[in-house]
Amino acid sequence: MATYMWLAAMLCYIDRTNMSVAMIPAAEQHGWTKAEQGVIFSAFFIGYGCTQVLGGLLAGRFGGPIIVTVAVVMWSLFTLLTPEAANWGFASLILARIGLGLGEGLAIPAAHAVAAQWYPAQYQAVCVSFVNSGHQLGTVIAMALAPAVAADWELVFHVLGVLGFVWAGVFCSCPPPEAFTPPDLAEQAQPSPWRQLLLRKPCWAIYISHFSTNVGFYILITWLPAYFHQHLGVPLQDMAKFTVPAYLAGAVSMVVVGHTSDQLLAHGWDKLMLRRAAMGVAMVGCSVCLLICVYLPADLATPHVIAGVMCVALACHGCHHSGNFTNMLDIAPDHAGLIQGVSNTIATTAGVLGNLYVGTMLPSIGWSGVFLSAVCVYLSGFALYMAWSDVEKVTPGIEARKGDVEQLLPESPVGNWPVSPTSCNNNAGMVMRRDAPTPDTTGHGHTRPG
């Protein structure tokens, strides 16, 4: 299951990020100004923010994989239509970008719910990190497509749109080698804990730190090609060799830090300390890297040096998936999709406001002003996370959690096909709930309470 979600995450970010590269030839073709480019980038996040909570609610009702499949089909359709929409006019392109965001907004909380629905607590950090590493690899692929985009950006969108339909077809027609059982959703149905999610400080520590990390991250994934091309003079055909290593470093960092975090937790390290340490590396580390870009002497600020700094920045950023993202599973394990939806809705405003801000203010404040603004947001968010974060559960939920099982999954989720943690089956690798009846082994046809 994690592998399918990883592939979907990769497609998600390819289709989202390819506009960052395509914007350069597309803007020249259609004559878009910097302000109009900011509007185009922001339009995606308007749609993206509108379906975050809906995605979490639907994932809790129907299961994360079903919602992810619907989302992939939806955003792939709008990816396919983007070149035609641009030719029809600016307004139609904005609508296509909003539609792309609506589809991708469903997927992120639904994929997050999979970690809670399919995996026990001791594997959740590595599962979340592994799936989200697909985001970084998707960005890597999008940047690597720069030469193809320069040659024919419209064809690239068409091919990527088709790939989404291929993923959906394979997922629906080729189940995993070991059949998995979806969660017993009827037993998990319960009122959504809106009061706790909207009023508790640990929740807002996650939301605000998520917003803060998104400010810097969206600048790096959306405007980095323009920064290298226009500020550092890198030709579009050479863009990949300067940007791909940075995004690849972020992908590797996510998986390595997620695995390390789970291992340290298993050896008795304090969970809250691990979450805060991950956020410290992510937010303070990115701030330091952006400050280096601002204050590095001009004779040293070559494309190769800046590319190295960006590698460190995105490697630091990858740590936050073992911080506030996994922290969502700590404090609301039975509502993982919903809290991810709420958090992403709030954090997505960084994409709307940040892209409008950069597009409008870049001509007057320059890249130094943009980076310094991001540093201020990073450090403010980190200070609040340190003050308000916690790992104690804040929402009511199911009495028997996957972390409180009598038999734990013996293998890591990465590369395997685990079954539902709520299944009651004696097959190897399956988890038995404590409140489930014990199968009859006496031959009298009765079950014993668990």
Side-chain angles (χ1 to χ4, degrees):
M1 180 58 67
T3 304
Y4 270 144
M5 295 301 105
W6 177 77
L7 289 171
M10 187 160 41
L11 280 173
C12 177
Y13 264 66
I14 294 174
D15 290 349
R16 172 195 301 201
T17 311
N18 59 4
M19 180 56 81
S20 299
V21 180
M23 182 60 75
I24 297 171
E28 294 176 356
Q29 176 183 339
H30 294 283
W32 298 326
T33 65
K34 277 285 186 291
E36 289 174 327
Q37 293 175 40
V39 172
I40 292 169
F41 286 135
S42 295
F44 165 84
F45 293 101
I46 293 173
Y48 188 66
C50 288
T51 51
Q52 294 290 328
V53 174
L54 178 62
L57 291 171
L58 292 175
R61 177 66 181 86
F62 299 105
I66 295 176
I67 305 307
V68 171
T69 304
V70 172
V72 171
V73 171
M74 184 175 176
W75 88 56
S76 297
L77 175 62
F78 284 104
T79 298
L80 197 63
L81 292 176
T82 295
E84 283 67 30
N87 293 327
W88 295 335
F90 188 77
S92 60
L93 175 62
I94 296 302
L95 291 176
R97 293 286 294 170
I98 292 174
L100 176 68
L102 290 171
E104 293 201 2
L106 292 172
I108 303 300
H112 206 67
V114 170
Q117 293 171 348
W118 260 261
Y119 297 103
Q122 78 271 26
Y123 292 142
Q124 287 176 352
V126 70
C127 178
V128 169
S129 298
F130 173 68
V131 171
N132 283 281
S133 71
H135 297 164
Q136 295 287 357
L137 287 176
T139 306
V140 167
I141 295 172
M143 295 300 167
L145 289 173
V149 170
D152 190 344
W153 72 272
E154 296 183 354
L155 177 62
V156 172
F157 275 75
H158 292 153
V159 172
L160 293 175
V162 171
L163 284 178
F165 288 100
V166 171
W167 179 94
V170 172
F171 184 72
C172 293
S173 61
C174 300
E178 298 178 15
F180 59 89
T181 306
D184 189 349
L185 299 164
E187 292 187 12
Q188 292 193 23
Q190 53 190 304
S192 300
W194 289 108
R195 179 180 177 83
Q196 291 87 344
L197 294 182
L198 295 179
L199 297 181
R200 297 295 298 273
K201 286 183 178 179
C203 295
W204 280 98
I206 291 173
Y207 303 155
I208 295 177
S209 64
H210 192 179
F211 172 90
S212 302
T213 54
N214 272 10
V215 168
F217 183 59
Y218 287 151
I219 289 174
L220 292 178
I221 69 168
T222 303
W223 294 94
L224 192 60
Y227 174 69
F228 274 98
H229 180 66
Q230 297 165 3
H231 184 70
L232 299 176
V234 175
L236 184 58
Q237 292 79 2
D238 297 334
M239 189 67 63
K241 68 180 182 182
F242 291 101
T243 56
V244 164
Y247 298 118
L248 193 58
V252 173
S253 169
M254 284 185 194
V255 178
V256 171
V257 174
H259 176 73
T260 303
S261 177
D262 281 346
Q263 291 298 309
L264 294 176
L265 187 62
H267 283 82
W269 285 52
D270 181 71
K271 183 184 291 186
L272 181 58
M273 183 195 71
L274 290 173
R275 303 294 186 247
R276 288 176 171 175
M279 294 304 296
V281 174
M283 304 181 82
V284 177
C286 284
S287 297
V288 171
C289 291
L290 292 178
L291 289 173
I292 291 174
C293 292
V294 171
Y295 293 109
L296 195 66
D299 58 328
L300 295 178
T302 64
H304 290 89
V305 172
I306 297 299
V309 174
M310 290 302 174
C311 283
V312 177
L314 283 170
C316 290
H317 173 83
C319 297
H320 94 93
H321 291 275
S322 297
N324 56 5
F325 266 41
T326 309
N327 197 188
M328 298 178 194
L329 305 179
D330 299 328
I331 68 173
D334 301 305
H335 303 277
L338 182 57
I339 189 173
Q340 170 72 1
V342 173
S343 185
N344 241 11
T345 299
I346 295 169
T348 295
T349 59
V352 178
L353 300 177
N355 283 300
L356 290 175
Y357 175 79
V358 175
T360 304
M361 300 300 296
L362 182 59
S364 57
I365 65 176
W367 288 104
S368 294
V370 170
F371 289 164
L372 288 174
S373 300
V375 168
C376 292
V377 176
Y378 265 132
L379 297 180
S380 300
F382 176 62
L384 191 142
Y385 185 81
M386 291 295 291
W388 286 359
S389 58
D390 203 345
V391 293
E392 297 299 320
K393 188 174 176 180
V394 301
T395 60
I398 308 165
E399 183 177 353
R401 284 296 304 162
K402 298 183 294 298
D404 300 323
V405 293
E406 295 175 343
Q407 179 184 353
L408 298 177
L409 287 175
E411 298 181 359
S412 167
V414 178
N416 292 286
W417 290 108
V419 295
S420 165
T422 57
S423 301
C424 296
N425 194 309
N426 289 328
N427 291 340
M430 303 182 85
V431 177
M432 183 170 292
R433 294 203 331 244
R434 284 188 173 179
D435 60 345
T438 304
D440 172 47
T441 57
T442 63
H444 299 301
H446 301 290
T447 58
R448 296 179 287 106

Coordinates of all heavy atoms in Angstrom, one line a residue, residues 19 23 48 82 92 116 251 294 299 317 384 421 449:
M19 N 4.7 23.1 -13.8 CA 4.4 24.4 -14.2 C 5.5 25.4 -13.9 O 5.7 26.4 -14.5 CB 3.1 24.9 -13.6 CG 2.7 26.3 -14.0 SD 2.6 26.6 -15.8 CE 1.0 25.9 -16.1
M23 N 6.7 27.4 -16.9 CA 6.3 28.9 -16.8 C 7.2 29.7 -17.7 O 6.8 30.7 -18.2 CB 6.3 29.3 -15.4 CG 5.9 30.8 -15.2 SD 4.2 31.1 -15.8 CE 3.3 30.4 -14.5
Y48 N -6.5 23.8 -4.1 CA -5.8 22.8 -3.2 C -6.3 23.0 -1.8 O -6.5 22.0 -1.1 CB -4.3 23.1 -3.3 CG -3.4 22.1 -2.6 CD1 -3.3 20.8 -3.0 CD2 -2.6 22.5 -1.5 CE1 -2.5 19.9 -2.4 CE2 -1.8 21.6 -0.9 CZ -1.7 20.3 -1.3 OH -0.8 19.5 -0.7
T82 N -4.4 21.4 -19.4 CA -3.8 22.7 -19.1 C -3.3 23.4 -20.3 O -3.5 24.6 -20.5 CB -2.6 22.5 -18.1 OG1 -3.2 22.1 -16.8 CG2 -1.8 23.8 -17.9
S92 N -9.4 30.8 -18.5 CA -9.6 29.3 -18.6 C -8.4 28.6 -17.9 O -8.5 27.5 -17.3 CB -9.8 28.9 -20.0 OG -8.7 29.2 -20.8
A116 N -2.3 5.8 9.2 CA -3.0 5.5 10.4 C -3.9 4.3 10.3 O -4.0 3.5 11.3 CB -3.9 6.7 10.9
A251 N 14.4 14.2 -0.8 CA 13.7 12.9 -0.8 C 14.5 11.9 0.1 O 13.9 11.1 0.9 CB 13.6 12.3 -2.2
V294 N 21.5 35.0 0.8 CA 21.4 36.5 0.8 C 22.7 37.2 1.0 O 23.0 38.2 0.3 CB 20.4 36.9 2.0 CG1 20.4 38.4 2.1 CG2 19.0 36.4 1.6
D299 N 31.0 37.3 -5.7 CA 31.9 36.5 -6.5 C 31.9 35.0 -6.1 O 32.4 34.1 -6.8 CB 33.3 37.0 -6.3 CG 33.7 37.0 -4.8 OD1 32.9 37.2 -4.0 OD2 34.9 36.9 -4.5
H317 N 14.7 20.6 5.1 CA 13.3 20.6 5.0 C 12.7 19.2 5.1 O 11.6 19.1 5.7 CB 12.9 21.3 3.7 CG 11.4 21.2 3.4 ND1 10.5 22.1 4.0 CD2 10.6 20.3 2.8 CE1 9.3 21.8 3.6 NE2 9.3 20.8 2.9
L384 N 7.0 29.0 18.0 CA 5.6 28.7 18.5 C 5.5 27.1 18.6 O 4.9 26.7 19.5 CB 4.6 29.2 17.5 CG 3.1 29.1 18.0 CD1 2.4 30.4 17.6 CD2 2.5 27.9 17.5
P421 N -4.9 -3.0 9.7 CA -4.6 -3.2 11.1 C -5.9 -3.6 11.9 O -5.8 -4.0 13.0 CB -4.1 -1.9 11.7 CG -4.6 -0.9 10.7 CD -4.7 -1.6 9.4
P449 N -13.8 -14.1 24.1 CA -13.5 -12.7 24.0 C -12.0 -12.5 24.1 O -11.3 -13.2 24.7 CB -14.2 -12.1 25.3 CG -14.7 -13.3 26.1 CD -14.6 -14.5 25.3

